[in-house]
Amino acid sequence: MSVPDPRPVGAFEGQPVHEIALTGPDGMEARILTWGAVIRDLTLPSLDGVRQSVVLGFDRFEDYPAHSPYFGALVGRVANRIANGRFGIAGRMVTLAQNEGLITLHGGPGGFAHRVWTILARSADAVTLGLVSPDGDQGFPGRVDARCTYRLTKGLTLEVEVQATTDAPTPVNLAQHS
């Protein structure tokens, strides 16, 4: 099966954003954006021949940075909320960037869902994206190297594999937000 080239769909903060098309062995199709590692669309074949989209998203990339409440994104460094944008670790108090009043939501205003990820590997049915978050990013200690692989498999299954490594004690809690 041929592997289509990633399709340019726009730019974010001067970086090009691409959409990667995946096709699974049973006819499932996915559209993944490099911005936020977003699952922009996931469609399933049906018995009547009409494809059914099963995720919330926008047709145009421009609508994601402007309007998306994390539709389809991979959120982090820490998914969910950190009260008062502060936590203690390794004997010190850490203060984070806040983006929901006094709360740090999904990694802060520049969290992983609002970044352009790098395409590390791709095939007709899978893509692996990577992101480096340096020490001090949004206030978090330690460098984090994150990876996310989306793979379409038999049985109309979307596998999502996320992993992160860090060079210092730091919280990491990545979550797919479809």
Side-chain angles (χ1 to χ4, degrees):
M1 185 179 290
S2 68
V3 180
D5 288 335
R7 182 175 69 94
V9 293
F12 184 75
E13 295 180 348
Q15 295 182 305
V17 175
H18 291 87
E19 179 180 84
I20 300 98
L22 305 177
T23 303
D26 297 333
M28 178 189 286
E29 295 177 353
R31 303 273 185 255
I32 310 297
L33 296 178
T34 55
W35 183 81
V38 163
I39 299 172
R40 190 191 68 72
D41 199 12
L42 183 65
T43 59
L44 306 176
S46 66
L47 295 176
D48 63 6
V50 177
R51 301 196 64 76
Q52 180 66 45
S53 182
V54 295
V55 295
L56 292 174
F58 298 106
D59 291 331
R60 299 174 333 125
F61 163 68
E62 296 79 16
D63 293 327
Y64 281 90
H67 306 293
S68 181
Y70 301 97
F71 282 160
L74 192 77
V75 297
R77 263 190 197 196
V78 175
N80 214 330
R81 292 165 174 81
I82 298 175
N84 301 312
R86 297 177 32 171
F87 66 91
I89 192 167
R92 69 181 180 110
M93 188 58 68
V94 175
T95 301
L96 305 171
Q98 299 165 352
N99 58 330
E100 189 178 80
L102 298 176
I103 293 169
T104 299
L105 174 64
H106 295 329
F112 290 9
H114 299 106
R115 305 271 179 91
V116 178
W117 291 58
T118 301
I119 300 170
L120 301 177
R122 64 187 176 86
S123 64
D125 61 359
V127 64
T128 299
L129 303 173
L131 182 71
V132 175
S133 175
D135 179 42
D137 186 12
Q138 303 295 298
F140 287 96
R143 172 189 164 116
V144 170
D145 290 291
R147 288 178 174 234
C148 175
T149 300
Y150 294 114
R151 181 177 294 108
L152 303 179
T153 64
K154 288 186 179 185
L156 299 174
T157 300
L158 168 65
E159 292 178 355
V160 180
E161 179 182 340
V162 293
Q163 54 189 154
T165 57
T166 183
D167 63 0
T170 191
V172 177
N173 178 31
L174 306 178
Q176 213 307 312
H177 209 277
S178 278

